[in-house]
Amino acid sequence: MRDSLTRRTFLKSSALALAALAASAGTAAASPLLRGPDNEPDEDVKTVLRERFGTRPIREGHVTLDVPDVAPDSREVPLLIESDLPMTADDYVKGFHIIVDHNPDIYLAGFNFTSAIGAATLDTRIKMRRSSHIRIIAETSKGELWSTSRFVYTSLNGCV
Amino acid sequence: MRDDIGQGKIILPAKISRNAVINIRALLSHPMLTGMSRDQAGIPIPAWFVKEVEVTYGGDRVASFEWTSGISRDPFVGFSLRASKEAPLTVTWKDNKGGIFTHSADVKFTTTTAEATR
């Protein structure tokens, strides 16, 4: 009897904790929990970046990623990528690169543009194996690299 | 096996004026299999996914995409285009098994607002 009471109390308190967690997920994008682990890429990610971009510096800024903090379905995580970099005939965003640290293919996709598209925007849906940083790198026609990253929590396993 | 593979569409805005930057949406029916899953009998399902996408506008290549199987099933992509001319916009998807799928839509100016206000 005493045991079952303890168990009930435990379940109740864990349910409350979960509710609090869900509430914080819904409201505070900047909550420490949702900021996720350290933003520093691991060795595998660094290797991919080196293979793609050599020793060129990757700076933060000029590209934004809109993605849910918690992906309800990790088989279809919607991404919206935009950049405020110029889009003129001789200075334009040549491409966006999508890197997902903990996916089987770390380099998930590349999108190459010409100045004819007029604006650097991209909207697509990706799979995530598990909670991970998503890194977006914008590459300009002059060879500059600008980036942003977000940590996204996933629920269901995404690799089908 | 699904029988709609390769079907797709290109969605353009309803109204397009000359030189406006418009949003293009391209959809393809494709399983985008990673090769890491198994069927009910435990037999691995081979990878089958779109690797390359090419976008041409009036015959000129304006964008190209390099994909892995990390793009979701029935791949969707939205991007911008400056509507500089009345011409077909064509998207070609190529998968790792040699499948080539092409869909296009005609960019046509419905208003002359941009010119009238100039």
Side-chain angles (χ1 to χ4, degrees):
Chain A
M1 188 62 191
R2 197 184 156 81
D3 276 347
S4 83
L5 271 176
T6 321
R7 184 169 170 272
R8 185 162 301 167
T9 321
F10 171 74
L11 285 175
K12 199 175 166 187
S13 60
S14 50
L16 276 172
L18 274 175
L21 199 68
S24 68
T27 53
S31 115
L33 178 76
L34 289 173
R35 215 178 291 138
D38 192 357
N39 187 29
E40 185 66 16
D42 65 21
E43 280 311 311
D44 289 345
V45 175
K46 281 182 179 163
T47 303
V48 168
L49 293 175
R50 216 167 24 239
E51 281 168 6
R52 284 273 163 184
F53 308 112
T55 53
R56 283 186 280 167
I58 302 174
R59 286 173 287 178
E60 263 186 57
H62 292 302
V63 55
T64 57
L65 168 63
D66 193 359
V67 61
D69 291 316
V70 180
D73 184 348
S74 51
R75 295 169 303 183
E76 294 200 355
V77 183
L79 307 184
L80 176 62
I81 305 166
E82 288 177 305
S83 173
D84 63 358
L85 289 163
M87 210 64 199
T88 60
D90 57 354
D91 185 8
Y92 59 92
V93 178
K94 200 171 82 171
F96 287 139
H97 306 271
I98 302 177
I99 311 276
V100 181
D101 289 18
H102 296 307
N103 265 23
D105 288 310
I106 294 172
Y107 184 88
L108 192 144
F111 295 81
N112 308 307
F113 304 131
T114 64
S115 60
I117 62 161
T121 64
L122 187 84
D123 195 350
T124 193
R125 296 189 284 248
I126 66 163
K127 298 173 199 168
M128 293 181 71
R129 180 165 63 178
R130 60 181 173 95
S131 301
S132 172
H133 278 289
I134 300 180
R135 303 171 193 278
I136 306 298
I137 296 170
E139 183 173 10
T140 71
S141 56
K142 294 179 172 173
E144 287 176 6
L145 301 168
W146 294 96
S147 70
T148 189
S149 74
R150 288 277 300 277
F151 193 85
V152 175
Y153 284 88
T154 63
S155 41
L156 203 73
N157 180 305
C159 284
V160 286
Chain B
M1 181 59 69
R2 301 165 52 176
D3 58 3
D4 62 343
I5 290 164
Q7 287 179 20
K9 58 183 161 186
I10 312 296
I11 304 164
L12 304 178
K15 288 183 178 174
I16 302 174
S17 53
R18 183 184 295 274
N19 283 330
V21 175
I22 58 171
N23 191 249
I24 310 282
R25 286 174 293 165
L27 274 158
L28 182 75
S29 293
H30 199 284
M32 297 298 283
L33 300 170
T34 59
M36 290 175 199
S37 54
R38 289 169 186 272
D39 66 13
Q40 284 173 335
I43 298 160
I45 303 168
W48 185 17
F49 59 95
V50 173
K51 285 176 71 171
E52 281 176 61
V53 185
E54 189 179 66
V55 183
T56 63
Y57 178 37
D60 299 326
R61 177 198 268 225
V62 293
S64 62
F65 313 142
E66 177 192 343
W67 286 356
T68 64
S69 56
I71 297 286
S72 303
R73 186 179 70 176
D74 298 336
F76 161 81
V77 59
F79 53 95
S80 300
L81 178 76
R82 184 175 297 282
S84 58
K85 57 193 169 190
E86 292 198 315
L89 182 89
T90 304
V91 181
T92 304
W93 294 259
K94 295 179 184 173
D95 72 25
N96 66 325
K97 298 205 311 191
I100 298 175
F101 316 101
T102 299
H103 295 282
S104 59
D106 290 323
V107 175
K108 280 199 163 73
F109 302 138
T110 47
T111 65
T112 50
T113 321
E115 289 181 312
T117 53
R118 211 178 273 158

